[in-house]
Each structure stands twice: as C-alpha cells, then as structure tokens.
Amino acid sequence: MVNIMQTKQFDIKKWAQNNAIYLVLTAIIILITVKNPAFLSLRVFRDILMQSSTRLIMAMGCMFVILSGGADLSGGRMLGAAAVLAGSLA
C-alpha cells in the first residue's frame, strides 16, 4: 500500500507556474513601495478603486450576459459611446 503523503509531493516549479501572476504582482508592489513608501496609503488605494470601478461594473455586466448564454462582447464599444456622450455634455 502506498502512503498518501508520498504520492502528493509539493512541486515548487509547478506551483510557481500556476501562481506566476500573483508572484509578479507582489514583486511589483514591493518594488514600488520601496521606491515610494507613500504607495501603501489609503489615498492611493482609494484612487485605484475609483479608477477601476467603471471597468469592474462593465466586466460584471458582461460576465452575466456570457453566463446566461449570450455571447455579447460589446462592452468596450458601449463604454466608448458613454465616454463620448459624457464628454459632450460636460
């Protein structure tokens, strides 16, 4: 009988390949923080969330359309039209 612990060995190379995007993101955050310690402030975090909120809302809408069976990928076009409209009203 084979011991279960022997068959499930931890492979760091495979783990690094599966989590490479998180490792790169963590490295970038560390490098930016070392260069500019104010990067980890609440103001910067709030600004990042405010700038990405429109994309998040649009991505959630597209996700629900795709999950419901429709294949509508026109979210970028609609965002561009909304930006032109908002710019002309301002």
Side-chain angles (χ1 to χ4, degrees), residues 17-79:
Q17 288 175 345
N18 289 336
N19 298 306
I21 189 73
Y22 303 116
L23 294 173
V24 170
L25 182 62
T26 304
I28 289 172
I29 290 172
I30 290 171
L31 289 174
I32 292 172
T33 304
V34 167
K35 183 154 179 80
N36 185 6
F39 179 71
L40 289 181
S41 68
L42 286 177
R43 183 183 58 84
V44 174
F45 184 67
R46 183 194 53 145
D47 289 343
I48 290 171
L49 288 178
M50 292 287 287
Q51 291 175 0
S52 64
S53 62
T54 55
R55 289 191 181 117
L56 177 67
I57 292 169
M58 195 172 73
M60 299 263 303
C62 288
M63 178 192 67
F64 287 124
V65 168
I66 291 170
L67 287 177
S68 68
D72 183 23
L73 299 176
S74 64
R77 199 171 359 149
M78 296 301 283
L79 181 66

